[in-house]
Amino acid sequence: ELKIMTTLTIPEYNERTTVSRQIFHVLVQRAPPTGQTYSRDFLERQALLLDDFLYKLASTMEDYGDLNTLEPRLLEATSMIMQSPGFSAASVLAEFFERE
């Protein structure tokens, strides 16, 4: 199970858990066809990182939890993360979304 390390209300926790799980499933589905396999732990950590990024960027919980716009927001978040200095997994994460 994905773990969210922060103090949240129960509805916020439920929403974050739902979004984190959906992000994980998106990453599994979009894994690059390079022959490289990614561990469940690695994908869970990336899902939590992206979830946290989306949570901080969202203006409302409704925006954050909108699964209909999740993939475009993940693409944007990945692009922003790649521009952040010191993020070592950015290039690997970008591989999941470069086929747009």
Side-chain angles (χ1 to χ4, degrees):
E1 174 161 327
L2 301 176
K3 296 176 184 151
I4 297 169
M5 306 300 249
T6 186
T7 304
L8 301 169
T9 65
I10 291 174
E12 288 173 331
Y13 174 81
N14 291 338
E15 187 73 18
R16 296 230 27 208
T17 300
T18 297
V19 173
S20 291
R21 286 182 180 157
Q22 189 61 38
I23 293 170
F24 173 80
H25 291 295
V26 168
L27 292 177
V28 168
Q29 291 170 354
R30 294 183 65 101
T34 60
Q36 170 71 36
T37 56
Y38 295 96
S39 71
R40 180 178 182 87
D41 182 58
F42 174 81
L43 293 175
E44 286 177 346
R45 283 184 280 127
Q46 300 315 302
L48 288 174
L49 174 102
L50 286 166
D51 171 77
D52 195 51
F53 204 80
L54 293 179
Y55 181 75
K56 290 175 181 174
L57 286 177
S59 55
T60 66
M61 280 301 283
E62 210 170 81
D63 289 340
Y64 161 76
D66 185 356
L67 298 180
N68 293 319
T69 63
L70 183 60
E71 287 199 42
R73 290 184 295 128
L74 287 172
L75 180 62
E76 181 181 353
T78 301
S79 176
M80 293 172 76
I81 289 169
M82 285 190 60
Q83 296 172 20
S84 301
F87 185 70
S88 62
S91 61
V92 173
L93 194 54
E95 292 176 14
F96 287 81
F97 296 97
E98 69 183 9
R99 293 169 288 165
E100 289 298 312

